Each structure stands twice: as structure tokens, then as C-alpha cells.
Amino acid sequence: MEEEKFSRVKVESILSVVSSNPTEPGKIHKFSFLDQSMGLHTIHVVFYYRSNPFKDGPMSSDLDNLRVSLSRVLDEYPIVTGRLTRGPDGDWQVKCNDAGVRMLQASVRTTLDEWLRSADASEERDLTVWEDMPLDPSFWSPFRIQINNFKCGGLGIGLSCSHMHADITSATMLIKSWTQVHRGQPLTHSPIFHLPSTNYSSQTNFSTSSLYYSPNNITPQKMGTATIKFSASAINKCLSQVQTLCPNATPFDVLVALFWSRIAQWQQSDLKRSVSICMDSRNQGHHPPIPYSYFGNALHFSLLTVDADKLLSGELGQVSDYIHRHIAGLNFSSVVTKEGSEGPLRIYGPRLTCINAEHMGDAEMYGAEFNKGERPVHVSYHVGNVEGEGLIIVMPLAEAGLGRTVTLVLPDQQIAKLCKDQVLLDLDPTMLVSGRR
């Protein structure tokens, strides 16, 4: 029998936090088609801080300080405190009944620095405790916030939620809004939840024949996770290498090109190779536009396909140019019709999926300061229920500049090979929380 793994995270208390002002009775939030399609997936975010911004006396005071500012910010987010129910058409919707957000407080039996050096992916999930949605979710909290106290006095704030409710930009916006309310500041982005009927949110569907699959189309396999930091000098080195063939390359272009070309070596020898590119659609030229403050799913997925021999034999600059030209030519206002079977889709992983999170950076991820000047030292993002070819997330480092963090969810054998790959090691990366899931 496999020995049960010892967890360094111990949950000390569980409670619910409601908004400070009751939600108006009978309020219903209807999910868009894109929201509904995310039903198989979850979002998990951890903000790591050097010190506890809520610490003021005993642990009970921590909770009091937490609940006051969180209750106030929840006034602005009625769908966060609501509960899932089926609408007349059978689709999921949110009954905004202010049932509250589940909050957990936990202690971590190590320091923050030691955790970032030694924790694996399954341990990091312990910082964002998640329960699968029950058959009857009428009393189940789709949002969970866990406050993790490290031995050194550091803090990890973990947020888990259903992907139907929010994408990673929205999840980040919720935490950023909490920090602003805690500091007595006006919200930079007061959330909006509905867009005009002519907008992407209500019209966009997916082509399941080319990008996405139902759960039965995926052969289960063991997946691994790694988080890798690349310094600004490492990214500069890559950009210099591709300057001739792709002079306007971005860090996202070169990192996707780097990992895609390395991973392609270990895949079956198909004539064509494809990657799914996921971009945030906010402020991307929609008519009418999708504002940054939209809370929900505002993602654009597109498929880039190249000849296998070009991918495997091409220079980094050539592959970067394929990616750069593809993104530059995207039509974010396009509407794609759905094909294939009804029911939940697996959006992430059937094809290798690359999420561009570069837009959040200094202003959002690392601007989430509960106390002035105390920025997160690291922010971690994970998408739940990823299978198939896997997922790559590219996001900024805490230090302003070209440095990037890359989170990988790939078949276990590929993770092991990448961590030993000399091309990657030549960039002198830093490995953070990693390991098998």
C-alpha cells in the first residue's frame, strides 16, 4: 500500500464570509456560452507575501481583520457569494443569495523561502483547498479563500474557484480589489458582469473538431507540473537570438517557441503540429469593447498549425516568427460556431495550450498590496483538470522588466526531460514549486 504523504499544511479553522450589505433579493447571473464551456476546469491562484498584512495580536484578530475588508469587497462581487443552480434552459446560473465565501485559515510547517524551494505541485494545491462540485451545489461555495501562515511570518493567500465564474484575470482582479478596499482606496476596476448582447461574451462558441474535446476523447496519463523563472537577462538573450528573423518578438513569443520546439521532439511524428494560443480578450478591439473590469471569462483561443519538419528543424527565431505573426493577425471579434457533441468540453490540454498572462504584470499581480510597499514576492496560477498534451502559462516576474515565470502542466515524462534539457539549462533558470501532481 502506498504510504500516505505527510502534508506541511494544516487547516486550523473554516468559516463563511458574507458581504457587508445584503444582495437584492431574486438577483440571477446567467453564464455566457464561454463560461458554460469551462465547467470541467477550475482556477487556483496563490499570492505569496513576506509578512502577514492582517496580523495584529492573536490569531482571532487575524480573522477579524480579514473578514472586515473581505466583506466590504464582496459587496461589489455578488456572483462570488452566490450559489449555482440550473436555469429554465438547464444551463448553470448563479443565484445571488449572498450565501458567502468559504474561508479557511491554515498553518504551514516551514518558512516561505523553504516552501518555494522544496514544495511540489500537489503541496501547493494544499494552499488552495478545493472540493469538487457536488451533485446538488445549492449549498456549496464555488469560491474558496485560504489564508496560509508560514513559520517565518510570511503569508500565502490561496483562491480557488470554478472556471465557469472567472478566468485568471478576473481572479486576480478580485484579490487586487480586496487589497484596495483593505487600504481604503477606490477600486481601479469596479467589476461589471454583463456585456451587450452583440458582444463576444454571448456569441463566441468553439469548434470542437479542431481545438477542444469532450472528456471521453482524452487518454488519461500521469501529468507533472513545474514552475520555472527566467531572468530578464535570459529573456534578453533569447530576444537577441531571434532578432534577425523576428525583430518584434515578445517574451511570450520566444518562450512558447522554445518550449513548443523542445516538446515536439518527444511527440509522435505527425506531419503537422498544433498549439492552442489563449489570449485575454479585454481591450482587444471588440465592438463594443470588452473592458478590463469585466468579471467572467473573456478569453480568445486560436489554433496555430505548422509543418512538423519546420518546427523541429527551424531556428528559434523562425518558430517565434510563426507565433508572433499568428497573434498579430488574430481577429478577436470573430465568432466561431460550435461543432460536435453537447456537454462539457476539455478546453485546456487536448492540444498543447499556451496562456499569455503578460498583461497582468506589475499593475495587477504584483500591485496587490495589502500594505503599501509590501508586494507579493511570487504569484502562482494553476488550471485544474488539464490532461492530454498539457498547458503552459507565461506570466511576468515580481521584478519589473523582461523576466518571466513559466508554469508547465505536461505529461510526467516530458517534465522530467525538460528539467534536464541543456537548451533550457543554458538560460540558467530557477526552479520553483514543481513535481508530479
Side-chain angles (χ1 to χ4, degrees):
M1 179 180 297
E2 185 176 350
E3 185 177 348
E4 184 177 352
K5 185 175 179 180
F6 171 76
S7 176
R8 291 183 287 180
V9 181
K10 181 182 179 182
V11 174
E12 307 281 357
S13 62
I14 303 175
L15 52 83
S16 291
V17 180
V18 299
S19 58
S20 58
N21 293 311
T23 305
E24 60 184 271
K27 186 178 181 65
I28 295 292
H29 173 77
K30 293 184 177 296
F31 288 127
S32 69
F33 180 88
L34 177 56
D35 296 333
Q36 299 280 351
S37 300
M38 294 293 182
L40 284 179
H41 299 291
T42 53
I43 296 292
H44 307 268
V45 187
V46 184
F47 283 71
Y48 292 94
Y49 295 88
R50 286 285 176 201
S51 60
N52 186 340
F54 310 106
K55 192 69 176 177
D56 183 19
M59 184 172 288
S60 59
S61 296
D62 284 8
L63 285 177
D64 291 341
N65 293 333
L66 282 166
R67 295 171 69 178
V68 170
S69 57
L70 181 57
S71 291
R72 289 173 181 166
V73 79
L74 290 177
D75 289 345
E76 306 292 329
Y77 291 86
I79 74 168
V80 170
T81 59
R83 294 294 181 262
L84 285 167
T85 184
R86 293 284 189 181
D89 55 3
D91 288 337
W92 288 113
Q93 61 184 23
V94 180
K95 183 179 181 181
C96 301
N97 57 2
D98 198 24
V101 170
R102 186 74 69 192
M103 174 178 281
L104 302 89
Q105 182 155 253
S107 58
V108 186
R109 299 181 179 93
T110 187
T111 65
L112 175 59
D113 288 335
E114 175 61 25
W115 176 269
L116 292 176
R117 284 195 301 267
S118 63
D120 61 25
S122 62
E123 276 197 300
E124 190 168 51
R125 277 293 289 267
D126 289 344
L127 302 183
T128 62
V129 171
W130 175 257
E131 294 178 2
D132 291 333
M133 183 172 68
L135 292 177
D136 178 9
S138 54
F139 298 101
W140 176 77
S141 175
F143 282 78
R144 292 166 186 270
I145 295 174
Q146 182 165 316
I147 309 302
N148 303 282
N149 296 281
F150 290 90
K151 286 178 63 176
C152 59
L155 188 75
I157 297 180
L159 170 67
S160 293
C161 66
S162 158
H163 206 326
M164 285 194 296
H165 288 74
D167 54 22
I168 62 174
T169 301
S170 295
T172 303
M173 186 194 310
L174 175 59
I175 298 296
K176 175 71 178 293
S177 296
W178 185 9
T179 67
Q180 291 179 319
V181 169
H182 184 76
R183 293 173 59 190
Q185 295 181 323
L187 299 188
T188 303
H189 303 291
S190 295
I192 63 171
F193 304 97
H194 299 284
L195 297 172
S197 59
T198 56
N199 207 292
Y200 152 97
S201 174
S202 61
Q203 291 188 15
T204 298
N205 297 320
F206 296 115
S207 172
T208 57
S209 61
S210 60
L211 270 177
Y212 314 104
Y213 298 81
S214 68
N216 296 330
N217 296 119
I218 303 296
T219 301
Q221 58 182 317
K222 183 173 288 185
M223 304 294 283
T225 298
T227 299
I228 307 175
K229 291 175 63 175
F230 294 94
S231 66
S233 60
I235 300 299
N236 255 324
K237 179 180 178 180
C238 291
L239 292 174
S240 298
Q241 290 176 359
V242 307
Q243 180 68 29
T244 302
L245 293 174
C246 189
N248 298 316
T250 67
F252 179 79
D253 297 334
V254 295
L255 286 170
V256 171
L258 178 64
F259 282 100
W260 188 22
S261 59
R262 306 311 293 167
I263 292 169
Q265 301 176 82
W266 310 313
Q267 295 177 324
Q268 295 180 352
S269 55
D270 299 327
L271 296 177
K272 301 282 187 180
R273 298 290 171 84
S274 298
V275 63
S276 173
I277 303 292
C278 174
M279 305 286 293
D280 193 279
S281 294
R282 296 167 177 84
N283 298 333
Q284 290 286 357
H286 289 279
H287 302 288
I290 299 178
Y292 195 82
S293 56
Y294 175 64
F295 191 89
N297 284 282
L299 302 174
H300 183 281
F301 293 85
S302 60
L303 193 67
L304 170 60
T305 300
V306 302
D307 293 336
D309 57 349
K310 292 182 179 179
L311 178 61
L312 294 170
S313 62
E315 298 180 12
L316 181 64
Q318 184 63 69
V319 182
S320 298
D321 190 55
Y322 293 146
I323 296 165
H324 186 81
R325 289 177 180 272
H326 174 80
I327 293 173
L330 290 176
N331 178 7
F332 285 87
S333 295
S334 63
V335 176
V336 182
T337 58
K338 180 183 177 184
E339 304 169 5
S341 61
E342 296 295 327
L345 305 178
R346 193 177 303 280
I347 307 297
Y348 301 94
R351 307 282 187 185
L352 180 63
T353 306
C354 300
I355 299 178
N356 187 338
E358 291 189 321
H359 62 285
M360 292 192 294
D362 196 59
E364 303 302 329
M365 294 166 57
Y366 299 106
E369 300 179 358
F370 285 96
N371 291 332
K372 186 177 177 61
E374 297 182 5
R375 295 157 53 88
V377 295
H378 177 61
V379 182
S380 174
Y381 293 94
H382 293 281
V383 176
N385 206 10
V386 174
E387 294 184 1
E389 294 185 8
L391 175 67
I392 298 173
I393 306 175
V394 178
M395 67 201 85
L397 283 181
E399 304 81 12
L402 293 174
R404 294 292 184 266
T405 299
V406 179
T407 296
L408 308 167
V409 182
L410 300 168
D412 205 43
Q413 292 182 344
Q414 292 183 16
I415 288 288
K417 291 177 180 178
L418 282 172
C419 290
K420 299 177 182 178
D421 189 273
Q422 193 58 49
V423 174
L424 294 179
L425 294 178
D426 287 344
L427 296 174
D428 195 25
T430 300
M431 302 294 294
L432 294 180
V433 285
S434 61
R436 294 180 179 180
R437 295 197 301 156

